[in-house]
Amino acid sequence: MKKIFNTLPLALIVMSIYSCTSDDETVQDANDNSSVVTTFTCTQENDGTTTKAALDSDCKTILWKTGDAISIFDGNKANNEYILDSESDGKSTGTFSGTGAVTGPYVAVYPYTAGATLSDDRKSVSNIVLPDEQEAVAGGFDPKAALMIAKSETTTLTFKNAVGFIKVTPQFDCKKIILRAANKTKPLAGKGTIKFDDSGNPYIDFTGSKELSYSITLSGTITSGNAYYIAVPAVTLSAYWTLTFVTENKNYMRQVTKPITFVRSQALNLGTFATDGDYWVGSNGIVSAVNQVDLGLTIEQGGKTYKVYFAKSNLTTTGLAENEYDYGDYFAWGAIKPWYSSIDKSKSPWTATWEKTGGYIQANAPYYNNGSYTKYTTDGEILKASDDAANVILGGDWWIPTQAIWQALVDNSTKGLDSGFKFTNNGQTLFLPEAGYVNGTLFNANSDGYYWSGTANPSTDAYYLQLYSSGYVSAQQVWDRYCGYSVRPVRLVELSAATTEGYNVEEDFKW
């Protein structure tokens, strides 16, 4: 669904929905709501004008496009789809028509959401999704994420915004912009319920949901100099949340050392970002020095010699696992986030709630198309920055280990078993838990370990480190890229710079 944005002299981004009531309502059968055509008059709170949040001079109003739809719940709580009439295309006034909803009171939600349900007290709508994958729109935002709700006794509806927005303006082209919470205390997206607070303002409640995300990814064509908006819930993120700009060969991460509060129906301008800014994280990324292990390994790569530092624990969606024995999350090869929103460890075998239909199957694999891969088809090819989960999530010089790095670890360390694998060298020990892997379910947990390398094998495979509970270890294994394996990041420091580098301490983000 496409939107056209007009510039107005306002300082807030909000959805404007208008329509006019049709005089030609047709009732074919008074006892059959499916034959009743109804239209709704919809307006936006405050007529689209407010000065609560200072942004700058480029606020927008929304012009509707053919195909836009809303959910209408009538007195019987049925979810009916109402679609914008064609004569309202490209206008700020839109007529939504449909059948089924003939008796009030009414509750309406934008956009139309199949499967959404109205509570018995008519005060909330559940199974509403704030997407964690949003489409980049230059000068605007993804309409699928602009959640709104309205309540009325009549067919005249006043919509209120259930989300706020953040604005970012990169001064370079990129593929993705990722907003990520510092921990898993405040969900940023997923399936939830729109409720009303004591003042009658809507918000999204994620309580009890298993389909949650702690990051939001803006994807598409993101070009230098344009502003982009990300729809966010009204929450406060704790300090050390991050904003990452993903390019093909380098990722730029900003870690913010103070909290941020997102407000419903307001937009926060996070500013302009340039590649030469002094606000990017340093080589350590978001990983503190105490969470790094130096086993004394060096590696040749691309004609240079690097010192290798291992992360002390496995990779998760928001950083590193809290403890070295924690399993962390499971990533397909080349994917920058897991394909599940949750894993239920209370049952055996574990089960997951998939974010991608079918879960860890080949059809979901990055760059897979109709029986073959379109990228990383040469043996020994290494993941680019934009496809390396460790670099995208941790920033700095963190990467998924190459096959050669895993081989160096195997060849130059003393190995031992103790509820997992221990590799000892240089007076330090690296512990790798036997976390198993995810396919249709989770396999071999507490038995074997499977750790991706960043190195491709021809055809449909990639190299990984195999750890067997028998004590056997191999860095020469290959397997299907769509499987969910653990990731243990490494930081590469060019040897000539290793003696002069220091841990980067970030300043507060200044609005």
Side-chain angles (χ1 to χ4, degrees), residues 87-168:
E87 64 269 20
S88 298
D89 180 56
K91 299 178 181 178
S92 61
T93 298
T95 300
F96 287 85
S97 299
T99 60
V102 295
T103 59
Y106 301 101
V107 176
V109 171
Y110 175 87
Y112 170 74
T113 305
T117 57
L118 181 65
S119 63
D120 290 338
D121 61 6
R122 309 184 65 81
K123 293 182 178 180
S124 63
V125 179
S126 59
N127 296 321
I128 296 296
V129 176
L130 178 58
D132 67 345
E133 294 279 350
Q134 299 180 18
E135 181 181 357
V137 177
F141 49 84
D142 186 344
K144 296 189 299 297
L147 302 178
M148 297 185 299
I149 190 170
K151 298 192 298 182
S152 178
E153 297 288 333
T154 70
T155 56
T156 298
L157 301 171
T158 299
F159 276 85
K160 287 189 174 184
N161 302 300
V163 297
F165 298 89
I166 59 171
K167 173 188 175 183
V168 292

Side-chain angles (χ1 to χ4, degrees), residues 191-207:
K191 183 177 288 186
T193 300
I194 295 183
K195 297 181 177 180
F196 291 88
D197 62 21
D198 293 339
S199 300
N201 294 319
Y203 66 97
I204 304 172
D205 183 2
F206 294 111
T207 303

Side-chain angles (χ1 to χ4, degrees), residues 354 356-361 364 439-440:
W354 304 122
K356 285 184 173 288
T357 303
Y360 288 75
I361 59 176
N364 290 333
N439 197 335

Side-chain angles (χ1 to χ4, degrees), residues 243-258:
L243 196 65
T244 303
F245 298 81
V246 178
T247 71
E248 180 71 13
N249 297 310
K250 185 175 181 179
N251 299 324
Y252 299 86
M253 176 183 286
R254 182 72 173 94
Q255 184 182 63
V256 186
T257 59
K258 66 178 182 179

